[in-house]
């Protein structure tokens, strides 16, 4: 029987979407299933470029339909719709991160274009999408990473209103094949931020030199060099501070996609791991008869459910965002940092159960175990995103303001605000609705109540034992605090989504038993930090809680996990 909480190609029917979206999602699933597991694995092992997938996507106008905003559309079904983008992320992650990556960096490459007022460039991008081209985001450099203050891509005025661009970019996905590369650089004749430029380049131009693929993978993560590349006025996407903001706002749009890719990987790995474990007999018993195995698989299952609930709810805040509601700026790094690291934990738990099987070359799991590691490290490290999350902590925990409720957003509308986010600053002024009602609605669920005690304790910490001036410069200490805060936000959106989907309370209670343990573990970590004061150490130990144990509940959740055995296996 198919579990309604997990994606299963055998029963997948996204009926909540419009007919064309539903058709395209189902057609994508059908393409992979027809391709079969052996071909999927062999292409991964041989590092084959994804030309056949991109041919399929071009034939179906998949990218053109999902990634053309309504302002540039030539068909009614074209729009930028975060809900259906998330659904495709999950499907592509489920079958292989290489496929997702080509799509993801196309999204990043389009970000500066769709934010631009350059109508010629926007029309060109829409045409290229319709022709099935992919895109790239030329931001990072070998010596500077994504430090856009230090770019060495130099644009020299050509005396005729344009520029000649010279410099290298490094770690640029799709740089081998992109019809349009959004490249960040700076003018040689203008000092400071006013000299920044985002411009459009074509990877097929003679002045564009592809150096190499910097990773050993089907993902083509390129190094390329421009040598006197001509940049006409029609190629200029942004200048000055607007170029800087376009870079950061593009990452705001793109890094959300990592969470649902992580979910897809984890789902496929879970089907394979549970089926293997349940059908393997050791010492006369199925592996799943051992108590520690049941705990690990159940923990993996509820963590995965939590990933999905949080990510689905975050979509609603993205789609409802506007100049006066920028709550998505917290929930976005949460999806990037928290959901992807949860994916790592899920796969690690599964791997502890299936052990050596996870290395075998004829399994999906072997690539899942590798690829799940990449997502927390792309579009900013976990540490970078944790530091960003901390900027919102006091306002979120202690200073809520009223907002109209955000409903479930699966309507067929264009998410136009994502391309007019405005200046990438002012994070300290972002305000949030009260997080407590989400917990109050489930106060009768034992482990939700137990976790609420810990969340309230964190508020007391921020009020009474907050880091002093010296600790505020100790990023190691602050990151421990950030992990505690992230858990509260994670729990909040899980509960909001649980309410709107009528989630089984056994699953919710079991999930929060895991979150209680996580909070306690991070509190103990904070206790051991070098700079923790005596008061902070006392607080940390007082915040430790034991989950509420209920053997009947755990048995019922285990039955759901056990039912995953044989529920899906990819066509050979």
């Amino acid at each position: 029987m198919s579990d309604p909480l997990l994606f299963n190609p055998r029963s997948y029917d996204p009926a909540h979407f419009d007919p064309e979206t539903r058709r395209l999602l189902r057609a994508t699933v059908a393409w992979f299933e027809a391709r079969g597991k052996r071909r999927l694995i062999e292409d991964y092992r041989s590092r084959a470029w994804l030309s056949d997938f991109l041919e399929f996507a071009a034939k179906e106008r998949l990218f053109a339909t999902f990634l053309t905003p309504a302002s540039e559309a030539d068909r009614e079904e074209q729009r930028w719709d975060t809900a259906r983008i998330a659904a495709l992320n999950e499907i592509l992650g489920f079958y292989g991160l290489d496929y997702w990556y080509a799509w993801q960096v196309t999204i990043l490459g389009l970000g500066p274009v769709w934010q631009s007022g350059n109508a010629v460039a926007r029309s060109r991008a829409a045409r290229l999408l319709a022709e099935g081209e992919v895109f790239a985001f030329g931001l990072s450099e070998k010596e500077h990473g994504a430090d856009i203050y230090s770019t060495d891509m130099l644009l020299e005025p050509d005396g005729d209103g344009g520029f000649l661009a010279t410099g290298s970019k490094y770690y640029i996905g799709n740089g081998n094949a992109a019809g349009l590369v959004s490249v960040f650089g700076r003018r040689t004749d203008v000092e400071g931020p006013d000299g920044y430029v985002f411009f459009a380049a074509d990877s097929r131009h003679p002045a564009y030199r592809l150096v190499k693929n910097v990773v050993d993978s089907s993902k083509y993560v390129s190094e390329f060099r421009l040598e006197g590349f001509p940049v006409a006025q029609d190629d200029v996407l942004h200048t000055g501070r607007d170029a800087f903001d376009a870079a950061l706002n593009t990452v705001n749009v793109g890094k959300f996609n990592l969470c649902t890719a992580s979910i897809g990987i984890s789902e496929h790995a879970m089907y394979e791991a549970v089926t293997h474990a349940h059908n393997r007999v050791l010492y006369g018993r199925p592996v799943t008869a051992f108590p520690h195995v049941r705990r690990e698989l159940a923990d993996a299952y509820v963590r995965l459910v939590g990933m999905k609930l949080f990510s689905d709810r975050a979509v609603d805040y993205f789609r409802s965002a506007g100049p006066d509601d920028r709550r998505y700026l917290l929930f976005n790094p949460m999806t990037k940092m928290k959901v992807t690291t949860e994916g790592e934990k899920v796969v690690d738990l599964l791997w502890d159960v299936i052990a050596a099987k996870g290395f075998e070359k004829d399994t999906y799991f072997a690539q899942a175990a590798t690829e799940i590691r990449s997502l927390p490290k792309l579009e900013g490290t976990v540490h970078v995103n944790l530091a960003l999350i901390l900027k919102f902590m006091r306002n979120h925990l202690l200073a809520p303001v009223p907002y109209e409720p955000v409903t479930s957003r699966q309507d067929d509308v264009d998410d136009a605000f994502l391309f007019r986010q405005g200046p990438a600053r002012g994070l300290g002024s972002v305000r949030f609705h009260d997080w407590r009602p989400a917990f109050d609605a489930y106060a009768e669920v034992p482990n939700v109540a137990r976790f609420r005690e810990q969340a309230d304790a964190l508020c007391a910490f921020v009020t009474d034992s907050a880091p002093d001036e010296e600790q505020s410069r100790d990023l190691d200490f602050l990151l421990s605090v950030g992990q505690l805060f992230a858990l509260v936000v994670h729990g909040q959106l899980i509960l909001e989504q649980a309410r709107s989907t009528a989630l089984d309370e056994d699953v919710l209670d079991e999930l929060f038993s895991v979150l209680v343990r996580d909070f306690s573990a991070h509190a103990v970590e904070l206790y051991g930090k070098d700079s923790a004061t005596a008061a902070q150490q006392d607080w940390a130990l007082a915040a430790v809680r034991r989950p509420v144990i209920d053997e009947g509940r755990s048995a019922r959740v285990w039955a759901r996990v056990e039912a995953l055995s044989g529920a899906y296996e990819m066509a050979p």
Side-chain angles (χ1 to χ4, degrees):
M1 184 177 70
S2 181
D3 187 316
L5 298 177
L6 302 185
F7 168 72
N8 187 334
R10 291 181 178 175
S11 57
Y12 183 61
D13 184 11
H16 52 285
F17 287 123
D18 64 273
E20 180 62 6
T21 299
R22 181 184 176 214
R23 185 193 72 78
L24 284 170
L25 292 173
R26 286 166 60 92
T28 303
V29 171
W31 185 84
F32 281 108
E33 290 293 322
R35 185 177 185 74
K37 187 174 183 179
R38 280 194 293 271
R39 178 72 185 278
L40 197 79
I41 291 171
E42 182 54 35
D43 281 356
Y44 179 78
R45 292 178 60 239
S46 65
R47 306 163 190 84
W49 174 239
L50 313 172
S51 55
D52 52 353
F53 170 68
L54 295 178
E55 288 170 8
F56 158 78
K59 176 176 175 289
E60 295 289 349
R61 292 177 55 96
L62 180 63
F63 289 13
T65 301
F66 278 36
L67 301 182
T68 306
S71 61
E72 306 300 323
D74 60 11
R75 296 189 180 193
E76 182 180 353
E77 63 272 9
Q78 290 180 313
R79 62 184 184 276
W80 194 284
D81 175 339
T82 305
R84 67 180 187 177
I85 287 172
L88 187 55
N89 287 331
E90 184 177 7
I91 291 169
L92 296 180
F94 187 92
Y95 288 107
L97 199 66
D98 291 350
Y99 304 97
W100 170 86
Y101 186 75
W103 148 266
Q104 160 70 355
V105 290
T106 291
I107 287 173
L108 291 171
L110 286 165
V113 181
W114 297 147
Q115 292 176 69
S116 175
N118 183 335
V120 173
R122 291 169 62 93
S123 177
R124 173 183 166 194
R127 173 178 55 79
L128 289 170
L129 273 174
E131 292 170 358
E133 298 284 357
V134 294
F135 291 67
F137 185 52
L139 182 66
S140 66
E141 299 177 11
K142 188 172 186 178
E143 301 302 324
H144 309 296
D147 176 7
I148 55 182
Y149 295 100
S150 304
T151 179
D152 291 329
M153 177 63 71
L154 302 180
L155 286 85
E156 182 178 350
D158 64 4
D160 196 28
F163 305 93
L164 296 176
T166 298
S168 296
K169 292 292 178 176
Y170 193 82
Y171 225 85
I172 310 303
N174 287 356
N176 62 316
L180 188 153
V181 186
S182 296
V183 184
F184 185 85
R186 59 184 174 90
R187 296 175 57 161
T188 58
D189 60 329
V190 178
E191 294 294 324
D194 290 342
Y196 293 139
V197 179
F198 241 126
F199 63 95
D202 185 343
S203 69
R204 300 169 182 83
H205 193 281
Y208 181 109
R209 182 167 69 87
L210 185 65
V211 178
K212 63 179 178 179
N213 187 356
V214 302
V215 300
D216 186 19
S217 167
S218 295
K219 292 182 283 293
Y220 205 103
V221 187
S222 70
E223 177 183 4
F224 70 79
R225 180 166 182 81
L226 304 184
E227 295 281 2
F229 187 98
V231 180
Q233 278 300 310
D234 284 347
D235 299 321
V236 175
L237 303 174
H238 301 273
T239 59
R241 178 74 198 198
D242 287 345
F244 181 91
D245 290 335
L248 297 183
N249 290 336
T250 293
V251 174
N252 281 341
V253 174
K255 72 181 177 183
F256 171 80
N257 300 310
L258 279 70
C259 67
T260 32
S262 182
I263 288 166
I265 293 172
S266 300
E267 287 170 319
H268 199 154
M270 174 154 279
Y271 285 121
E272 206 171 58
V274 173
T275 298
H276 169 73
H278 194 58
N279 290 280
R280 183 168 175 78
V281 176
L282 291 178
Y283 311 110
R285 301 160 65 190
V287 168
T288 50
F290 295 98
H292 69 290
V293 167
R294 291 191 173 197
R295 180 192 61 77
E296 288 179 317
L297 292 179
D299 280 5
Y301 173 77
V302 295
R303 284 187 187 277
L304 177 51
V305 170
M307 291 163 65
K308 296 200 72 169
L309 293 168
F310 182 92
S311 301
D312 286 348
R313 184 57 174 155
V315 165
D316 300 335
Y317 288 100
F318 259 71
R319 306 200 71 198
S320 301
D324 301 319
D325 182 357
R326 299 200 296 160
R327 288 174 284 179
Y328 74 102
L329 291 175
L330 166 60
F331 303 139
N332 189 27
M334 279 289 302
T335 59
K336 158 65 185 87
M337 182 281 298
K338 186 63 181 173
V339 176
T340 61
T341 53
E342 285 292 285
E344 282 192 292
K345 291 176 184 176
V346 167
V347 171
D348 283 344
L349 287 163
L350 299 174
W351 207 353
D352 282 346
V353 171
I354 66 169
K357 184 71 176 177
F359 294 101
E360 294 185 11
K361 67 180 183 180
D362 60 349
T363 65
Y364 172 85
F365 197 97
Q367 64 175 277
T370 298
E371 301 295 350
I372 199 72
R373 311 283 169 217
S374 63
L375 291 164
K377 300 166 183 64
L378 297 173
E379 325 318 349
T381 64
V382 168
H383 306 103
V384 166
N385 282 279
L386 259 179
L388 176 59
I389 286 163
L390 277 166
K391 296 179 183 293
F392 303 102
M393 181 169 69
R394 183 171 288 273
N395 275 354
H396 182 277
L397 291 178
L398 302 178
V401 297
Y403 279 97
E404 289 296 316
V406 170
T407 59
S408 179
R409 293 296 310 277
Q410 295 177 331
D411 42 327
D412 304 342
V413 298
D414 194 62
D415 297 342
F417 174 74
L418 295 180
F419 300 110
R420 49 180 176 82
Q421 296 176 57
R425 55 182 181 265
L427 301 185
S429 65
V430 177
R431 304 296 293 274
F432 301 89
H433 61 295
D434 194 344
W435 57 273
R436 295 168 183 83
F439 285 83
D440 293 340
Y442 284 101
E444 75 284 357
V445 177
N447 281 303
V448 174
R450 187 67 46 95
F451 186 83
R452 171 65 186 274
E453 295 172 13
Q454 295 175 308
D456 287 336
L458 182 60
C459 292
F461 174 87
V462 174
T463 302
D464 304 328
S465 305
D468 59 25
E469 185 176 347
E470 185 175 345
Q471 285 178 321
S472 295
R473 295 190 293 271
D474 181 354
L475 188 57
D476 185 48
F477 179 84
L478 291 178
L479 292 178
S480 287
V481 178
Q483 291 284 7
L484 294 166
F485 173 51
L487 277 167
V488 176
V489 180
H490 190 56
Q492 175 197 349
L493 262 62
I494 285 170
L495 291 171
E496 291 183 8
Q497 188 68 9
R499 177 61 66 184
S500 68
T501 57
L503 180 71
D504 182 286
E505 288 194 3
D506 283 337
V507 174
L508 188 66
D509 199 14
E510 195 77 6
L511 168 57
F512 270 82
S513 75
V514 171
L515 300 187
V516 168
R517 282 190 267 128
D518 286 352
F519 195 100
S520 297
H522 286 301
V524 170
E525 182 185 13
L526 187 147
Y527 172 84
K529 290 298 180 184
D530 292 352
S531 62
T533 66
Q536 290 166 342
Q537 292 173 51
D538 290 342
W539 174 88
L541 293 183
V544 172
R545 294 287 188 279
R546 185 175 190 270
V548 178
I549 307 303
D550 182 333
E551 292 183 0
R553 175 199 73 220
S554 296
R556 292 188 294 274
V557 172
W558 168 250
R560 298 178 70 113
V561 179
E562 191 175 34
L564 297 177
S565 176
Y568 169 77
E569 186 167 355
M570 189 173 179

